[in-house]
Amino acid sequence: MTTPFVTLEHRGAVALVTLNSPNGLNPLTHELMTALGDTLQTLDEDTQTRAIVVTGSARAFAAGADIQAMAQMTYARAVNENFLAAEWQRVSTLRKPLVAAVRGYALGGGCEFAMICDIVVAGETAVFGQPEIKLGLVPGAGGTQRLPRAVGKSLAMEMNLTGESITAAQALAAGLVSRVVPDVDVVNAALAIGQSIARHSLPVLMAVKAATCRAFETSLAEGLAYERSAFHGCFALDDQREGCEAFLERRVPHFNHR
Ligand code: CAA
């Protein structure tokens, strides 16, 4: 399902999706977001795929929403067409684990898409920022909501109100990314995490993702109730029995994903 905007490769049960704009900056145009959404949705429904790695070019993960299109936008059109809503909603409701492999710029929507991913691996020279304020805009795809949940209020406010970027090292210290590796190793590091995820049971992976996401969306009591229900639900799976038996028999489990 490779398109002019998105390249798709399969590495066993891990899919590698590469954003692919001509100048490598990957502005998140309607066409790119549609291709990305189509590709990710197909992978989300593909029973052979258990983890998805998304990357950009060496120059940029993505430089944000399409400023060319926004220069022409009006309030009436933005409201009437619900600008950005549908395409971003689609990429934020995937059930499978998503790993972002960030090289270069992750700005505006690029940073926001990285935050939609479940794990973020960054290259040493990666740059994260929400520069929308410089364009006279409020971040439109999660910068005011996911960023404070990821890095805390003070740094999120500083990034959102000044529009200034942070380095990969700062992103690591703040908890925005899980690890920083040399730029040349970013994709392989993300693929290795994907392979480590993909050896597990698919329905359990999706349940773990759904339950962990609840930690950012609901109260502790409701989140714990959701987790308990998901935990109990695992006992309906063959893979739960297999996982526990394999441990006791000191062998590698063979999950059938049911
Ligand atoms: N949308 C459209 N075009 C973009 C773009 C974007 N987000 N980012 C860069 N471009 C275009 C530039 O206009 C330029 O086009 P031309 O060659 O036709 O002039 C080309 O890409 C190269 O850009 P630069 O010359 O600026 O490249 P650089 O290497 O000097 O700088 C950069 C790279 C730091 C990423 C810089 O391009 C930049 O700051 N881009 C904008 C980043 C930004 O503000 N992102 C937020 C967008 S708003 C948003 O995302 C809303 C939301 O919340 C969803």
Side-chain angles (χ1 to χ4, degrees), residues 23 25 27 59 63-68 70 84 88 105 107-109 112 130-132 135 137-141:
N23 68 7
L25 283 181
R59 191 178 181 196
D66 182 5
I67 299 172
Q68 203 105 44
M70 290 190 297
L84 296 188
W88 283 85
Y105 299 107
L107 298 177
E112 290 166 314
Q130 299 293 156
E132 287 89 340
L135 302 169
L137 286 166
V138 171

Side-chain angles (χ1 to χ4, degrees), residues 7 9 16-20 24-26 53-63 99-107 110-111 114 120-128 168 177 179-191:
T7 304
E9 297 162 62
L16 174 62
V17 176
T18 306
L19 308 186
N20 210 6
L25 283 181
N26 298 319
V53 173
V54 183
T55 195
S57 70
R59 191 178 181 196
F61 182 66
V99 183
V102 177
R103 295 167 291 173
Y105 299 107
L107 298 177
C111 185
V120 184
V121 177
E124 279 166 341
T125 64
V127 171
F128 296 84
V177 309
R179 60 174 92 171
V180 176
V181 299
D183 290 333
V184 292
D185 297 332
V186 174
V187 175
N188 281 338
L191 285 169

Side-chain angles (χ1 to χ4, degrees), residues 45 204 240:
E45 292 162 7
V204 183
Q240 174 275 323

Side-chain angles (χ1 to χ4, degrees), residues 132-185:
E132 287 89 340
I133 192 84
K134 296 179 183 174
L135 302 169
L137 286 166
V138 171
T144 68
Q145 300 304 305
R146 291 194 181 91
L147 188 60
R149 283 167 168 81
V151 305
K153 179 181 172 184
S154 185
L155 182 57
M157 282 289 192
E158 184 175 332
M159 291 170 70
N160 285 338
L161 293 172
T162 67
E164 299 306 323
S165 303
I166 61 170
T167 62
Q170 288 171 299
L172 181 65
L176 185 58
V177 309
S178 70
R179 60 174 92 171
V180 176
V181 299
D183 290 333
V184 292
D185 297 332

